Amino acid sequence: MTIATTNPATGEVERTFDPLPEPEIDRRVGRAADAFRSYRRTGMDERARWMNAAADILDAERDRAAALLTREMGKTITAARAEAAKCAAACRYYAEHAAGFLADRPADAEAVGAARAYVRYQPLGPVLAVMPWNFPLWQVIRFAAPGLMAGNAGLLKHASNVPQTALFLEELFRRAGFPEGVFQTLLIGSGQVERVLRDPRVRAVTLTGGEPAGRSVASVAADELKPSVLELGGSDPFVVTASADVPRAAEAAATSRCLNNGQSCISAKRFIVVEDVADEFEQAFVERMRALTVGDPMDESTDVGPLVSEQGRSDVEDLVADAVKQGATVLCGGARPPGKGWYYPPTVVAGVTPDMRMYHEEVFGPVASLFRVRDLDEAIDLANAIGFGLGSNAWTDDPRERERLVDDMEAGQVFINGTTTSYPQLPFGGVKRSGYGRELSREGARAFCNVKTVWIGHGAESAESDAPTE
Ligand SMILES: O=CCCC(=O)O
């Protein structure tokens, strides 16, 4: 894939970039390794100062960053501004909390026959981050804010269609004051990822993206015995029980499904409704999906902009066509509008069965599958019936139903009476084919750390303890 900015609203290629030649890739990896050696010795206060400066730049230049996102991948300008603001908040969160998350953790020295025992969290070194285009700032900050605060260096291989955002991120950390080489963008194709990951100077990898990319990066990481964190796709269930506030659920359903023009791994995609409230939900949901405004992503009144690419749109069309061919019914949307740009309308498909691709696969566009079930048991079985396990949503006002849903949904997160959202304060990640490892919160700060056990025996020196205390 060429490295280029192609505006999804017009289909026009606006800028192209040459991939870095191999000697330059090696030079940059070397620079990351050199930078890491001194950066790991910087203090938390200093790192926090730089991270807060990055947040200030993101706030001050929110409009510039947002316009870049909209032009490169088509999200609405309102969503793009919100993404930049969320990134600034995450930088501030880690500037404030990383020292606490990564402080030495005392252990019971007596139980292990030591004078002192504790755990120290130390950075691993340069970490390769392979990131997707759908939240081009946020997905990177989600790794970089905790990763850099922990003392690692970052090497970003961003999606080939968001090169200007990738360069903005490199510039962001440099301007914020992080030492040269601590965060670098590698403008490279996916074919060059293996070479970087096999480089002994690169110590770990994090990937957010699709299953094939995840599988290939994970197998190279396994072969090299390097730690990896994978956040892959999702086809999140959205269960509505008989006790739910149906109008609220329907409103949230449409918002979630069309989030980021329908291109979010944690959008609700499969709407599973208990039959007592199925008619009411269907009517309200379809009405809200129809009411969304599709159009120019630079226009503030637009709810749903174009899909990222021509291929992205035809992938969605193929899934809908396959379902319809096998007997599913389109309740709204379902056909591309005429004209330029890769637009696709909010669509609801009913009667989806296991023979259809849409039942199992992630639809990366504003298309909902709507299912009717008898009761909560059937709803949970259907929610868990596929390979993904990223987020999950359920709507209920019954405490016993709530507990069952919390216990039985096979997902990295369960949101009750709300829709799956990533917050710096909460761990984020999936189970099953949605990946492994966790980002954000305390877990994200420790994801790329050597959890080093320190055991100090009895002796004259160890009596002068400077070890952490409970
Ligand atoms: O696309 C998946 C991640 C979305 C998010 O973190 O909000």
Side-chain angles (χ1 to χ4, degrees):
M1 194 180 180
T2 46
I3 302 175
T5 299
T6 305
N7 189 335
T10 61
E12 275 158 30
V13 179
E14 294 187 353
R15 241 182 115 175
T16 57
F17 295 80
D18 290 329
L20 293 178
E22 283 180 2
E24 179 59 16
I25 300 173
D26 289 345
R27 208 171 64 76
R28 288 183 187 221
V29 173
R31 198 192 287 155
D34 290 345
F36 170 68
R37 270 189 287 281
S38 50
Y39 180 63
R40 67 181 283 270
R41 301 201 181 281
T42 56
M44 276 292 185
D45 287 354
E46 210 168 7
R47 293 180 204 160
R49 194 154 35 77
W50 297 326
M51 199 52 79
N52 278 321
D56 292 344
I57 296 171
L58 282 165
D59 279 340
E61 298 182 15
R62 185 178 305 163
D63 287 347
R64 175 185 163 219
L68 212 48
L69 266 50
T70 300
R71 273 217 315 283
E72 293 208 297
M73 52 65 66
K75 73 173 60 203
T76 65
I77 192 70
T78 319
R81 285 194 198 112
E83 181 171 338
K86 180 170 175 169
C87 290
C91 289
R92 291 202 175 91
Y93 174 80
Y94 276 104
E96 186 182 345
H97 296 284
F101 293 156
L102 299 169
D104 288 348
R105 181 161 60 82
D108 182 350
E110 206 182 308
V112 295
R116 290 189 268 158
Y118 56 96
V119 174
R120 176 158 292 178
Y121 297 94
Q122 292 192 306
L124 294 180
V127 179
L128 174 63
V130 182
M131 291 291 146
W133 51 262
N134 63 337
F135 291 89
L137 276 185
W138 169 242
Q139 308 272 27
V140 176
I141 294 290
R142 185 160 78 187
F143 149 71
L148 300 193
M149 283 306 297
N152 294 294
L155 286 164
L156 170 64
K157 188 282 180 238
H158 218 323
S160 298
N161 57 335
V162 289
Q164 297 190 68
T165 307
L167 293 171
F168 172 84
L169 282 156
E170 179 179 75
E171 184 195 311
L172 169 74
F173 288 112
R174 190 183 311 122
R175 285 163 67 207
F178 284 92
E180 197 66 30
V182 166
F183 186 92
Q184 297 173 85
T185 286
L186 304 176
L187 287 185
I188 57 177
S190 47
Q192 288 161 301
V193 167
E194 176 166 352
R195 175 191 172 83
V196 177
L197 183 48
R198 288 202 187 275
D199 189 307
R201 296 168 293 185
V202 172
R203 296 298 167 82
V205 62
T206 178
L207 176 139
T208 299
E211 227 183 301
R215 194 171 289 120
S216 114
V217 161
S219 57
V220 176
D223 192 41
E224 292 289 335
L225 300 174
K226 294 183 182 180
S228 56
V229 169
L230 297 185
E231 196 265 272
L232 307 178
S235 188
D236 290 3
F238 184 106
V239 170
V240 184
T241 73
S243 69
D245 178 339
V246 174
R248 252 185 85 210
E251 180 81 50
T255 307
S256 176
R257 183 56 289 229
C258 295
L259 177 76
N260 210 33
N261 308 342
Q263 305 161 121
S264 169
C265 50
I266 49 169
S267 277
K269 298 183 178 103
R270 297 178 297 132
F271 298 83
I272 302 168
V273 189
V274 167
E275 64 195 3
D276 300 11
V277 289
D279 287 340
E280 185 189 354
F281 179 85
E282 179 179 307
Q283 196 191 348
F285 180 40
V286 169
E287 210 170 89
R288 281 168 178 80
M289 290 288 271
R290 274 208 187 102
L292 294 169
T293 310
V294 181
D296 179 1
M298 292 303 278
D299 184 333
E300 313 235 343
S301 64
T302 294
D303 298 309
V304 184
L307 298 191
V308 68
S309 64
E310 190 157 27
Q311 182 65 51
R313 179 168 68 174
S314 51
D315 289 347
V316 169
E317 287 175 329
D318 287 351
L319 287 167
V320 174
D322 169 73
V324 169
K325 196 166 133 218
Q326 299 192 67
T329 312
V330 172
L331 302 181
C332 66
R336 65 161 78 171
K340 65 180 180 181
W342 298 307
Y343 293 95
Y344 194 82
T347 297
V348 179
V349 181
V352 174
T353 63
D355 310 332
M356 301 171 188
R357 287 178 56 204
M358 199 188 264
Y359 183 95
H360 306 275
E361 294 180 32
E362 178 173 21
V363 188
F364 227 50
V367 178
S369 307
L370 183 60
F371 300 88
R372 289 169 181 246
V373 291
R374 260 193 323 273
D375 53 23
L376 187 62
D377 287 337
E378 205 183 314
I380 292 173
D381 285 349
L382 182 52
N384 293 340
I386 63 163
F388 292 116
L390 189 55
S392 61
N393 315 266
W395 293 74
T396 172
D397 275 343
D398 178 331
R400 271 178 314 190
E401 286 183 343
R402 186 181 64 217
E403 279 315 298
R404 275 237 30 223
L405 287 154
V406 168
D407 263 352
D408 292 348
M409 297 288 256
E410 294 174 357
Q413 42 255 309
V414 55
F415 278 64
I416 305 290
N417 296 338
T419 52
T420 310
T421 307
S422 54
Y423 296 98
Q425 296 82 354
L426 295 174
F428 183 88
V431 295
K432 295 160 70 178
R433 277 169 36 216
S434 291
Y436 52 76
R438 288 293 177 269
E439 300 189 275
L440 296 174
S441 186
R442 181 188 304 268
E443 285 76 3
R446 294 177 178 174
F448 296 107
C449 284
N450 172 14
V451 181
K452 188 184 270 181
T453 295
V454 184
W455 186 101
I456 299 174
H458 293 275
E461 200 197 336
S462 58
E464 293 159 29
S465 170
D466 58 356
T469 47
E470 299 271 9

